[in-house]
Amino acid sequence: MIAFILRRLLQSIFVMLAVSLLAFLLFRYVGDPVAVMVGQETSIEDQERLREQLGLNDPVWTQYTRFLGNLVTGDFGFSYRTRQPIGEMILSRMPATLELGFVSLLISLIVGIPAGIYTALKNDGVIANAILITTLIGVSIPTFVIGIFLIYLFGVQLGWLPTFGRGDTVAIGWWTTNFLTVDGLRALILPALTLGIYQLTLTMRLVRSEMQDVMNTDFIKFAVARGIDYRSVHYRHALRNSMVPVVTIIGLQFGGIIAFSIVTESVFQWPGMGLLFLDSIKFVDIPVMSVYLVIIALIFVVINLIVDILYFVIDPRVRLSPEAG
Amino acid sequence: MLAYWRRVKIENELIYLFLRSPVTQVAAIVALVSVLGALLAPLIAPTNPYDLASFDLLDSFYPPSWTDQGDPRFLIGTDDQGRDLLSAILYGTRLSLLVGVSSVAFAAVLGTSLGIAAGYFGGRFDAVVMRIADVQLSLPAILTALLVDGVTRGIMPREQHEDLLLVVLTVAIGLSLWVNFARTARASTFVERNKEYVQAAEIMGLHPMRIMAVAILPNILGPLMVIGTIDLAVAILLEATLSFLGVGVPPNTPSLGTLIRVGTEYIFSGEWWIVIFPAMSLIFLIISVNILGDFFRTVLNPRLR
């Protein structure tokens, strides 16, 4: 167990090093940092002094280790665009994105898992087919179009829900939350639904195919042959065995949620990290882009690590296979 | 000869199954109409949205012609600049399809060559390619495309970036889609590599490049075509999303994404047609391509039938 975790940890560190190297190359070689920082009238000598001061003339290797050291100590540098410390900028945006992602993940799991089970068991039913066709359409409609339709229906036509921004938030320390005010909760509904619908179809399809696979295995056939009633076969035997991959689903979906939160945040002007990233692309704010990359990778790696460890705990087969050690 | 007969059989099967699936037929018709409309846009569109002289700001915000304030000149209304919406959609679909097809072609060439080479040579080359593919796969496509776009913005001067925008967009989308081609090509090559015809070609002393291109490639095309179709839908979707976000094609160029972006600014004031028609065109296009992709997958993979 400990050896397994240690090896995974080592892998994660390797991935993070690779990503940070990429971020460093981005930061250092895309555009000239000095040219962006100073105005047109600064003399060449002053620029050269600044270059020396910033350590841009040091060997690349030294620069990279310094960049890495800064990252580890939480010193992310300054944004070209706003001149603010990037760490503060991202930290203040992070709660918005994480809360949005959390609620949409919840929606996708609470609706997606039962729908997946239902369509797997009732293969040819009318309702099951209707659900399947709906998901095919759901996969085909771009996230931003879903968002626009929701805005048009609930915001413009019915006027029930707010369509942009976070509404009222409550600050707990540096964390600002939507969950504690009615206004904040109302503002959360449409963006979370938009982000959740696409994930929902994915969850449903994965659960369905997993459940169908399990239903075809010998031990289920044997359970049916033994005369155990179907309810018990479905929910005690089949469901339990198809739930292992659900842990993976959550891990996999996280990537999608982060990516599509950029789109959703743009549609609803939700002040999260995705919107910040988008702005930094538009204004070629390279330091913010590279730090965003590192932070996203870090969240990715940590979640994958947790998923792998959970897998190890839940599924005995992983534990017993020789390569898990 | 054998390969020829196999192809004829598959083609027959394709037609047979196609005639039995009404959903696929409808999808094929929708896709055909979109493609024809896009190809023939310069001939059939009432106006040219790229030509600034062809539209007038005074014509802006006309609702569709069948409504009370509609104008018979503009079948489905005009946008905020007075452009005929139908023409803009035809030209927009043209651009979306152009970027979609070329980025899938880029991804297919890159992914297939890497995949076949990885499967054929194996060893260290294979390990490196697959490692890169794994990393790429963990990055969602849209994030990759955004990053490539952002980096090129940083590297190139502004004007140059705008000139090359379509190329940048194609590469950005293509780079986020090559992995599927590479993995499939690699897996199929693994199977083909040990077959007798490949061994025969090796004994004859053919150059590995020739074996890969002439012997193996034609035999693994089937699954790659399926991926190509499905990825076309993804590519169109990505282009629309990037353009919607304002990092795709220039804001004034009509693509389905930019049209929808413009339209969203007016849904609050009641000009619904500016967003609805481009959005519907996009959705129908993507759904029909997806259904066709699903159809090819079922036909070419007997296990799913």
Side-chain angles (χ1 to χ4, degrees):
Chain A
M1 173 91 185
I2 289 175
F4 171 79
I5 293 176
L6 271 182
R7 208 172 51 227
R8 275 278 182 272
L9 210 59
L10 218 62
Q11 265 177 17
S12 310
I13 291 172
F14 180 75
V15 171
M16 282 315 295
L17 280 177
V19 172
S20 68
L21 184 63
L22 194 71
F24 167 72
L25 293 175
L26 200 70
F27 172 71
R28 180 62 190 82
Y29 293 105
V30 177
D32 181 5
V34 172
V36 183
M37 282 166 145
V38 299
Q40 293 254 313
E41 62 279 3
T42 317
S43 67
I44 309 269
E45 291 78 45
D46 282 347
Q47 288 194 21
E48 215 32 64
R49 208 171 310 127
L50 187 63
R51 201 177 290 275
E52 191 62 45
Q53 210 177 354
L54 290 169
L56 295 178
N57 290 334
D58 295 348
V60 175
W61 184 244
T62 322
Q63 288 191 44
Y64 173 58
T65 40
R66 189 166 50 222
F67 179 81
L68 211 60
N70 286 345
L71 281 185
V72 173
T73 50
D75 176 9
F76 297 127
F78 291 83
S79 153
Y80 287 165
R81 185 166 60 98
T82 63
R83 316 270 156 181
Q84 282 174 309
I86 297 172
E88 274 175 31
M89 280 169 82
I90 289 188
L91 213 58
S92 71
R93 300 282 197 120
M94 202 186 268
T97 297
L98 290 183
E99 288 189 351
L100 177 62
F102 174 72
V103 174
S104 59
L105 187 64
L106 220 58
I107 293 176
S108 97
L109 294 180
I110 288 176
V111 184
I113 294 177
I117 295 170
Y118 182 83
T119 48
L121 295 181
K122 300 247 161 50
N123 218 347
D124 289 319
V126 179
I127 302 176
N129 269 327
I131 296 178
L132 283 177
I133 291 172
T134 318
T135 59
L136 188 66
I137 296 173
V139 183
S140 303
I141 301 182
T143 312
F144 65 94
V145 175
I146 293 178
I148 292 165
F149 281 153
L150 288 178
I151 289 181
Y152 186 69
L153 185 62
F154 292 104
V156 181
Q157 287 296 322
L158 299 170
W160 287 352
L161 295 164
T163 54
F164 65 92
R166 276 184 91 183
D168 289 340
T169 53
V170 176
I172 304 169
W174 60 271
W175 186 280
T176 52
T177 179
N178 271 49
F179 295 139
L180 295 176
T181 62
V182 178
D183 193 50
L185 283 173
R186 274 162 48 90
L188 193 57
I189 296 176
L190 289 186
L193 215 55
T194 305
L195 191 51
I197 285 177
Y198 182 76
Q199 307 300 327
L200 192 159
T201 53
L202 286 187
T203 311
M204 208 209 83
R205 288 179 152 215
L206 278 167
V207 170
R208 173 167 174 266
S209 71
E210 198 59 42
M211 187 89 173
Q212 276 175 338
D213 281 353
V214 175
M215 289 303 286
N216 282 330
T217 52
D218 289 340
F219 81 92
I220 293 292
K221 287 183 187 150
F222 181 59
V224 174
R226 274 192 295 167
I228 299 173
D229 75 320
Y230 280 105
R231 184 176 294 272
S232 174
V233 172
H234 289 162
Y235 296 104
R236 290 203 38 206
H237 296 72
L239 183 60
R240 211 193 252 179
N241 279 284
S242 11
M243 275 306 100
V244 178
V246 169
V247 179
T248 329
I249 295 177
I250 300 177
L252 282 174
Q253 288 210 334
F254 187 76
I257 283 184
I258 286 293
F260 286 103
S261 75
I262 300 174
V263 181
T264 311
E265 286 175 14
S266 168
V267 174
F268 291 93
Q269 289 301 303
W270 189 260
M273 294 195 294
L275 206 57
L276 182 69
F277 179 59
L278 204 59
D279 283 342
S280 68
I281 286 181
K282 283 182 191 163
F283 294 96
V284 202
D285 198 345
I286 300 290
V288 178
M289 275 169 68
S290 60
V291 172
Y292 178 84
L293 190 66
V294 172
I295 289 185
I296 291 299
L298 183 66
I299 301 179
F300 250 73
V301 162
V302 169
I303 295 223
N304 275 331
L305 193 68
I306 295 173
V307 166
D308 278 346
I309 293 174
L310 276 182
Y311 229 68
F312 192 85
V313 175
I314 297 173
D315 193 345
R317 280 168 299 186
V318 180
R319 235 174 304 165
L320 294 175
S321 76
E323 55 185 284
Chain B
M1 207 54 191
L2 194 72
Y4 174 73
W5 282 112
R6 241 181 65 204
R7 212 168 64 221
V8 170
K9 199 174 135 245
I10 286 180
E11 264 167 20
N12 279 342
E13 234 170 1
L14 205 79
I15 295 166
Y16 172 73
L17 288 168
F18 181 75
L19 290 177
R20 285 183 34 147
S21 164
V23 178
T24 315
Q25 288 164 25
V26 173
I29 292 171
V30 172
L32 200 67
V33 169
S34 299
V35 171
L36 280 181
L39 284 178
L40 301 176
L43 299 176
I44 56 173
T47 60
N48 179 0
Y50 287 94
D51 179 12
L52 292 173
S54 74
F55 53 92
D56 192 340
L57 209 55
L58 292 174
D59 289 334
S60 55
F61 300 119
Y62 269 116
S65 56
W66 59 85
T67 54
D68 287 344
Q69 288 107 39
D71 187 309
R73 283 181 300 157
F74 309 114
L75 185 63
I76 54 172
T78 57
D79 67 1
D80 59 331
Q81 298 174 51
R83 284 188 299 199
D84 174 40
L85 209 52
L86 180 64
S87 311
I89 288 178
L90 285 172
Y91 275 90
T93 312
R94 190 181 163 88
L95 194 68
S96 296
L97 278 174
L98 175 73
V99 173
V101 169
S102 41
S103 50
V104 169
F106 177 76
V109 172
L110 179 69
T112 308
S113 8
L114 282 176
I116 293 182
Y120 186 77
F121 294 121
R124 187 160 291 174
F125 180 71
D126 178 38
V128 170
V129 170
M130 284 303 114
R131 198 73 316 204
I132 298 174
D134 280 345
V135 173
Q136 174 82 71
L137 206 63
S138 68
L139 270 182
I142 182 147
L143 208 59
T144 314
L146 278 172
L147 273 175
V148 173
D149 189 83
V151 170
T152 48
R153 259 164 217 269
I155 295 173
M156 295 176 188
R158 201 177 184 82
E159 299 79 39
Q160 200 185 354
H161 187 260
E162 263 169 27
D163 289 343
L164 290 175
L165 218 89
L166 288 187
V167 180
V168 170
L169 204 56
T170 302
V171 172
I173 297 173
L175 277 182
S176 57
L177 296 177
W178 66 274
V179 176
N180 279 339
F181 287 100
R183 288 165 77 106
T184 312
R186 173 179 175 264
S188 312
T189 306
F190 262 139
V191 177
E192 297 296 321
R193 189 180 57 182
N194 297 321
K195 289 198 178 157
E196 278 161 0
Y197 74 95
V198 175
Q199 287 172 356
E202 275 171 352
I203 292 168
M204 279 157 68
L206 292 186
H207 192 270
M209 286 299 279
R210 204 180 146 86
I211 296 178
M212 286 188 276
V214 181
I216 297 180
L217 182 63
N219 282 295
I220 63 170
L221 271 183
L224 292 176
M225 304 257 288
V226 175
I227 292 187
T229 322
I230 294 170
D231 273 2
L232 179 62
V234 178
I236 294 173
L237 206 151
L238 273 178
E239 184 277 326
T241 306
L242 291 178
S243 298
F244 173 80
L245 293 176
V247 291
V249 304
N252 284 325
T253 316
S255 99
L256 293 177
T258 48
L259 291 174
I260 296 171
R261 176 187 176 81
V262 170
T264 49
E265 289 167 27
Y266 299 101
I267 47 174
F268 289 100
S269 47
E271 282 96 9
W272 51 270
W273 61 92
I274 305 181
V275 71
I276 291 294
F277 291 115
M280 284 321 225
S281 322
L282 178 65
I283 292 172
F284 280 130
L285 181 60
I286 294 177
I287 291 181
S288 61
V289 175
N290 264 337
I291 291 176
L292 287 179
D294 237 32
F295 172 72
F296 285 138
R297 182 165 54 188
T298 329
V299 172
L300 291 169
N301 187 350
R303 214 164 51 93
L304 290 172
R305 247 187 281 160

